Amino acid sequence: MQEQEKTSLYLVPTPIGNLEDITLRAIRILKEVDVILAEDTRTSGKLLQHLGIDKRMHSHHLHNEHKATAHLIDRLKAGEVMALISDAGTPGISDPGFYLVRECLKHNIKIECLPGATAFVPAIVKSGFSTDRFTFEGFLPVKKGRQTRLQSLAEEERTMIFYESPHRLQKTLAQFKEYFGGERPASVSREITKMFEETINGTLEELVQVFTTKAIKGEFVLVVSGATKGNKSDKE
Protein backbone atom coordinates (compact mmCIF):
# COMPACT_ATOMS: atom_id res chain seq x y z
CA MET A 1 0.00 0.00 0.00
CA GLN A 2 1.34 3.41 -0.97
CA GLU A 3 2.16 5.60 2.02
CA GLN A 4 -0.12 8.65 2.27
CA GLU A 5 1.64 11.93 1.59
CA LYS A 6 2.26 13.85 4.79
CA THR A 7 0.58 17.23 5.19
CA SER A 8 3.14 19.97 5.78
CA LEU A 9 0.93 23.05 6.13
CA TYR A 10 -2.46 23.19 7.85
CA LEU A 11 -4.75 26.20 7.49
CA VAL A 12 -6.65 26.28 10.77
CA PRO A 13 -9.71 28.50 11.29
CA THR A 14 -10.00 30.12 14.71
CA PRO A 15 -13.09 31.57 16.44
CA ILE A 16 -14.36 34.94 15.22
CA GLY A 17 -15.72 35.72 18.66
CA ASN A 18 -17.12 32.88 20.73
CA LEU A 19 -14.18 30.72 21.80
CA GLU A 20 -16.37 27.60 21.74
CA ASP A 21 -16.43 27.82 17.93
CA ILE A 22 -13.25 25.82 17.39
CA THR A 23 -13.30 22.21 16.29
CA LEU A 24 -11.77 19.27 18.09
CA ARG A 25 -9.67 18.59 15.00
CA ALA A 26 -8.35 22.16 14.99
CA ILE A 27 -7.25 21.82 18.62
CA ARG A 28 -5.52 18.52 17.87
CA ILE A 29 -3.66 19.93 14.86
CA LEU A 30 -2.49 22.98 16.80
CA LYS A 31 -1.11 20.66 19.47
CA GLU A 32 0.65 18.37 16.99
CA VAL A 33 2.40 20.76 14.56
CA ASP A 34 5.97 21.90 15.06
CA VAL A 35 5.20 25.61 14.84
CA ILE A 36 2.19 27.90 14.50
CA LEU A 37 2.30 30.85 12.09
CA ALA A 38 0.11 33.57 13.61
CA GLU A 39 -1.09 36.89 12.24
CA ASP A 40 -0.60 38.48 15.67
CA THR A 41 1.20 36.33 18.23
CA ARG A 42 -0.29 38.35 21.11
CA THR A 43 -3.87 37.72 19.98
CA SER A 44 -3.23 34.08 19.14
CA GLY A 45 -1.31 33.61 22.37
CA LYS A 46 -4.47 34.33 24.35
CA LEU A 47 -6.40 31.73 22.36
CA LEU A 48 -3.69 29.10 22.76
CA GLN A 49 -3.51 29.78 26.50
CA HIS A 50 -7.29 29.34 26.71
CA LEU A 51 -6.98 26.00 24.90
CA GLY A 52 -4.06 24.87 27.04
CA ILE A 53 -1.65 24.74 24.08
CA ASP A 54 2.00 25.59 24.59
CA LYS A 55 3.47 25.83 21.12
CA ARG A 56 6.18 27.84 19.39
CA MET A 57 4.73 30.71 17.31
CA HIS A 58 6.12 32.83 14.50
CA SER A 59 4.59 36.08 13.27
CA HIS A 60 3.13 35.85 9.75
CA HIS A 61 1.09 38.84 8.59
CA LEU A 62 0.38 41.01 5.55
CA HIS A 63 3.50 43.12 6.08
CA ASN A 64 6.05 40.29 6.23
CA GLU A 65 4.50 37.35 4.35
CA HIS A 66 6.28 38.00 1.02
CA LYS A 67 9.67 38.39 2.69
CA ALA A 68 9.22 35.42 5.03
CA THR A 69 7.65 32.91 2.65
CA ALA A 70 10.82 31.72 0.88
CA HIS A 71 12.37 30.77 4.23
CA LEU A 72 9.17 29.03 5.31
CA ILE A 73 9.10 27.03 2.09
CA ASP A 74 12.64 25.80 2.77
CA ARG A 75 11.65 24.73 6.27
CA LEU A 76 8.51 22.96 5.07
CA LYS A 77 10.51 21.11 2.42
CA ALA A 78 12.97 20.09 5.14
CA GLY A 79 10.18 18.36 7.03
CA GLU A 80 8.72 20.86 9.49
CA VAL A 81 4.94 20.75 9.94
CA MET A 82 3.21 24.10 10.39
CA ALA A 83 -0.23 25.51 11.09
CA LEU A 84 -1.29 28.92 9.81
CA ILE A 85 -3.88 30.86 11.79
CA SER A 86 -5.22 34.39 11.54
CA ASP A 87 -6.48 36.59 14.36
CA ALA A 88 -10.00 35.29 13.71
CA GLY A 89 -11.71 33.15 11.10
CA THR A 90 -10.26 31.20 8.18
CA PRO A 91 -6.76 32.12 6.92
CA GLY A 92 -6.76 33.50 3.38
CA ILE A 93 -10.25 35.02 3.60
CA SER A 94 -9.43 38.74 3.85
CA ASP A 95 -6.47 37.61 5.97
CA PRO A 96 -2.89 36.45 5.27
CA GLY A 97 -2.50 33.03 3.69
CA PHE A 98 -3.00 33.27 -0.07
CA TYR A 99 0.64 33.93 -0.92
CA LEU A 100 2.02 31.12 1.26
CA VAL A 101 -0.54 28.65 -0.12
CA ARG A 102 0.33 29.58 -3.69
CA GLU A 103 4.05 29.09 -3.07
CA CYS A 104 3.44 25.76 -1.35
CA LEU A 105 1.51 24.55 -4.38
CA LYS A 106 4.36 25.62 -6.67
CA HIS A 107 6.75 23.45 -4.63
CA ASN A 108 4.38 20.46 -4.33
CA ILE A 109 4.03 20.91 -0.57
CA LYS A 110 0.85 19.29 0.70
CA ILE A 111 -1.71 21.61 2.29
CA GLU A 112 -4.88 20.92 4.22
CA CYS A 113 -7.50 23.55 5.02
CA LEU A 114 -9.73 22.67 7.96
CA PRO A 115 -13.39 23.77 7.86
CA GLY A 116 -14.39 26.26 10.49
CA ALA A 117 -15.38 29.75 11.50
CA THR A 118 -15.83 32.53 8.99
CA ALA A 119 -17.98 35.64 9.36
CA PHE A 120 -19.69 35.91 5.99
CA VAL A 121 -21.56 32.58 6.09
CA PRO A 122 -23.76 33.34 9.12
CA ALA A 123 -24.23 36.91 7.87
CA ILE A 124 -25.65 35.87 4.49
CA VAL A 125 -27.82 33.14 6.00
CA LYS A 126 -29.26 35.59 8.56
CA SER A 127 -29.89 38.26 5.90
CA GLY A 128 -32.69 36.30 4.28
CA PHE A 129 -31.33 37.03 0.80
CA SER A 130 -30.71 34.40 -1.84
CA THR A 131 -27.83 32.06 -1.06
CA ASP A 132 -28.08 30.14 -4.33
CA ARG A 133 -25.56 32.48 -5.96
CA PHE A 134 -23.51 35.13 -4.19
CA THR A 135 -20.27 37.05 -4.56
CA PHE A 136 -17.87 37.69 -1.70
CA GLU A 137 -16.20 41.09 -2.18
CA GLY A 138 -14.36 41.31 1.14
CA PHE A 139 -13.06 44.81 1.90
CA LEU A 140 -13.56 47.42 -0.82
CA PRO A 141 -10.47 49.36 -1.92
CA VAL A 142 -9.97 52.27 0.45
CA LYS A 143 -9.15 54.83 -2.25
CA LYS A 144 -7.86 53.81 -5.69
CA GLY A 145 -10.35 51.66 -7.57
CA ARG A 146 -13.17 52.05 -5.05
CA GLN A 147 -15.60 53.91 -7.33
CA THR A 148 -14.79 51.64 -10.26
CA ARG A 149 -15.57 48.58 -8.13
CA LEU A 150 -18.88 50.04 -6.97
CA GLN A 151 -19.86 50.96 -10.51
CA SER A 152 -19.10 47.43 -11.71
CA LEU A 153 -21.28 45.96 -8.94
CA ALA A 154 -24.30 48.21 -9.48
CA GLU A 155 -25.96 45.70 -11.82
CA GLU A 156 -24.66 42.54 -10.09
CA GLU A 157 -27.59 40.13 -9.77
CA ARG A 158 -26.04 37.87 -7.14
CA THR A 159 -26.22 38.62 -3.43
CA MET A 160 -23.11 40.65 -2.48
CA ILE A 161 -21.13 40.31 0.75
CA PHE A 162 -18.67 42.89 2.07
CA TYR A 163 -16.51 43.30 5.16
CA GLU A 164 -16.18 46.75 6.68
CA SER A 165 -14.49 48.44 9.63
CA PRO A 166 -16.38 50.68 12.07
CA HIS A 167 -14.78 53.95 10.98
CA ARG A 168 -15.74 53.47 7.32
CA LEU A 169 -19.22 51.99 7.77
CA GLN A 170 -21.20 55.21 7.32
CA LYS A 171 -19.25 56.17 4.20
CA THR A 172 -19.70 52.72 2.69
CA LEU A 173 -23.46 52.61 3.33
CA ALA A 174 -23.82 56.09 1.80
CA GLN A 175 -21.90 54.97 -1.28
CA PHE A 176 -24.00 51.80 -1.55
CA LYS A 177 -27.09 54.00 -1.53
CA GLU A 178 -25.56 56.21 -4.22
CA TYR A 179 -24.47 53.40 -6.55
CA PHE A 180 -27.06 50.69 -5.85
CA GLY A 181 -30.11 52.85 -5.08
CA GLY A 182 -31.75 53.73 -1.77
CA GLU A 183 -34.48 51.10 -2.13
CA ARG A 184 -32.03 48.20 -2.46
CA PRO A 185 -32.55 45.72 0.42
CA ALA A 186 -29.49 45.11 2.58
CA SER A 187 -28.40 43.68 5.91
CA VAL A 188 -25.76 44.79 8.41
CA SER A 189 -24.36 42.27 10.91
CA ARG A 190 -21.86 43.09 13.61
CA GLU A 191 -20.00 41.20 16.33
CA ILE A 192 -21.07 37.81 14.96
CA THR A 193 -20.95 35.06 17.65
CA LYS A 194 -20.12 37.65 20.35
CA MET A 195 -22.22 38.88 23.27
CA PHE A 196 -23.55 41.95 21.44
CA GLU A 197 -24.19 40.26 18.10
CA GLU A 198 -26.73 42.19 16.04
CA THR A 199 -28.22 42.08 12.55
CA ILE A 200 -30.26 44.94 11.11
CA ASN A 201 -32.21 44.53 7.86
CA GLY A 202 -33.72 47.28 5.73
CA THR A 203 -33.28 49.30 2.59
CA LEU A 204 -29.99 51.11 2.09
CA GLU A 205 -31.85 54.37 2.70
CA GLU A 206 -33.09 53.05 6.05
CA LEU A 207 -29.69 51.66 7.04
CA VAL A 208 -27.98 54.97 6.27
CA GLN A 209 -30.42 56.66 8.64
CA VAL A 210 -29.99 54.01 11.35
CA PHE A 211 -26.22 54.30 11.42
CA THR A 212 -26.27 58.10 11.33
CA THR A 213 -27.34 58.09 14.99
CA LYS A 214 -26.44 54.58 16.18
CA ALA A 215 -23.18 53.88 17.98
CA ILE A 216 -20.80 52.10 15.60
CA LYS A 217 -18.65 49.48 17.29
CA GLY A 218 -17.30 46.10 16.27
CA GLU A 219 -16.52 44.45 12.95
CA PHE A 220 -19.22 44.49 10.27
CA VAL A 221 -20.46 42.23 7.49
CA LEU A 222 -22.68 43.95 4.91
CA VAL A 223 -24.97 41.86 2.72
CA VAL A 224 -26.67 43.54 -0.24
CA SER A 225 -29.42 41.97 -2.31
CA GLY A 226 -28.58 41.47 -5.97
CA ALA A 227 -29.99 43.78 -8.63
CA THR A 228 -33.40 42.96 -10.10
CA LYS A 229 -35.68 44.81 -12.50
CA GLY A 230 -37.35 46.36 -9.47
CA ASN A 231 -34.25 47.52 -7.60
CA LYS A 232 -31.73 48.57 -10.23
CA SER A 233 -29.46 51.47 -9.33
CA ASP A 234 -31.02 54.93 -9.34
CA LYS A 235 -28.20 55.89 -11.72
CA GLU A 236 -29.62 53.68 -14.48
Side-chain angles (χ1 to χ4, degrees):
M1 182 181 293
Q2 185 176 4
E3 184 178 350
Q4 187 175 4
E5 184 183 1
K6 185 183 77 171
T7 299
S8 296
L9 176 67
Y10 292 91
L11 309 179
V12 181
T14 54
I16 59 176
N18 192 318
L19 295 182
E20 293 180 353
D21 295 332
I22 189 163
T23 68
L24 296 174
R25 183 182 175 207
I27 295 172
R28 177 178 63 80
I29 294 297
L30 292 175
K31 288 179 177 179
E32 291 179 353
V33 296
D34 298 315
V35 64
I36 296 173
L37 307 176
E39 184 178 3
D40 186 325
T41 55
R42 294 166 299 180
T43 300
S44 297
K46 295 175 183 177
L47 173 65
L48 295 182
Q49 184 177 21
H50 173 79
L51 297 173
I53 298 174
D54 183 14
K55 185 67 59 172
R56 190 161 45 104
M57 284 192 294
H58 287 171
S59 180
H60 187 80
H61 48 72
L62 290 173
H63 302 293
N64 76 351
E65 63 176 340
H66 283 73
K67 183 178 180 180
T69 293
H71 179 57
L72 293 176
I73 293 294
D74 289 340
R75 290 171 56 182
L76 288 164
K77 290 170 73 173
E80 280 195 73
V81 179
M82 302 181 182
L84 173 66
I85 60 176
S86 63
D87 288 348
T90 301
I93 303 296
S94 293
D95 279 320
F98 161 75
Y99 186 72
L100 179 58
V101 167
R102 187 179 66 180
E103 293 305 302
C104 283
L105 293 174
K106 286 182 181 178
H107 290 85
N108 295 315
I109 295 171
K110 186 177 179 182
I111 304 163
E112 284 192 43
C113 182
L114 278 60
T118 188
F120 75 81
V121 173
I124 188 174
V125 172
K126 290 174 63 177
S127 74
F129 302 143
S130 173
T131 58
D132 293 340
R133 298 174 66 239
F134 60 87
T135 174
F136 174 69
E137 295 294 323
F139 289 96
L140 287 168
V142 176
K143 295 180 180 179
K144 186 177 180 181
R146 186 178 179 92
Q147 292 184 345
T148 301
R149 177 79 63 83
L150 288 167
Q151 288 170 348
S152 71
L153 292 171
E155 308 305 324
E156 173 60 65
E157 296 181 355
R158 295 171 294 180
T159 302
M160 297 175 284
I161 307 169
F162 305 85
Y163 285 166
E164 193 50 276
S165 60
H167 65 277
R168 279 197 294 269
L169 178 67
Q170 290 177 325
K171 174 184 177 180
T172 297
L173 287 174
Q175 288 181 319
F176 283 178
K177 174 186 170 183
E178 177 186 357
Y179 285 91
F180 303 155
E183 294 306 309
R184 182 77 69 91
S187 172
V188 177
S189 293
R190 74 179 186 97
E191 298 292 81
I192 292 175
T193 79
K194 299 179 183 178
M195 182 179 297
F196 298 106
E197 178 177 351
E198 181 180 36
T199 295
I200 301 175
N201 296 310
T203 65
L204 286 170
E205 174 68 44
E206 291 168 340
L207 291 171
V208 167
Q209 295 301 317
V210 166
F211 286 97
T212 297
T213 56
K214 187 177 179 63
I216 301 175
K217 296 180 180 179
E219 298 300 318
F220 291 84
V221 184
L222 314 181
V223 184
V224 182
S225 178
T228 65
K229 289 183 179 179
N231 69 11
K232 295 281 187 176
S233 166
D234 290 341
K235 288 192 167 189
E236 193 175 73

